[in-house]
Amino acid sequence: MATLIKIGNSQGIRIPKAIINQARLEDKQLEFKIIDDGLLIQTVKKNREGWKEQFDKALKSRESSEVDQEWLDAPLVDEEDWEWQKRIDLT
C-alpha cells in the first residue's frame, strides 16, 4: 500500500524497496501513463533496446547464411546520409 506525500508544491509516492526490486525499477528512468483504472508506471525503453539479444537468439535457433551475417554485423545506426534516387519505369 502506498500513499501520496507532499514534496514541495507537488506530490509523490514512495515505492517500497521490495516492489522496486521485483519490478526491476532501480536506477531506471520511468514514464507514467494514465489508464482507465489509474496510473501505469513503466521503465523508459530506448529505441532498438534488446534487438541484438533477439537477433542472437534467432540465429542460435537456426543456421544463418552469409547474407544474414552481413546484415547482423552492420551497425544499427548509420552515420552516412542516404541519397534517394527516383526510379523510372521504362517498360
Side-chain angles (χ1 to χ4, degrees):
M1 171 87 82
T3 57
L4 289 173
I5 57 171
K6 187 162 179 64
I7 302 174
N9 291 331
S10 300
Q11 291 188 8
I13 187 169
R14 289 189 185 143
I15 303 171
K17 184 171 177 61
I19 292 175
I20 291 171
N21 291 339
Q22 187 177 1
R24 298 182 193 119
L25 299 177
E26 192 166 345
D27 298 325
K28 302 277 176 94
Q29 286 188 339
L30 304 174
E31 66 180 357
F32 303 93
K33 292 183 182 178
I34 297 172
I35 57 173
D36 292 336
D37 295 335
L39 181 66
L40 173 66
I41 301 171
Q42 61 187 21
T43 58
V44 174
K45 294 184 180 170
K46 297 178 183 174
N47 293 336
R48 300 184 181 113
E49 183 176 342
W51 281 21
K52 181 177 182 341
E53 292 79 12
Q54 290 298 322
F55 284 131
D56 290 344
K57 183 178 177 183
L59 283 177
K60 287 180 184 176
S61 68
R62 68 173 188 82
E63 196 171 308
S64 64
S65 69
E66 287 182 30
V67 173
D68 290 336
Q69 197 59 48
E70 179 183 340
W71 280 101
L72 290 168
D73 291 339
L76 291 177
V77 177
D78 190 358
E79 298 297 327
E80 297 178 25
D81 289 333
W82 286 24
E83 184 176 317
W84 297 95
Q85 297 179 0
K86 185 175 181 181
R87 182 177 175 187
I88 301 173
D89 189 5
L90 299 176
T91 57

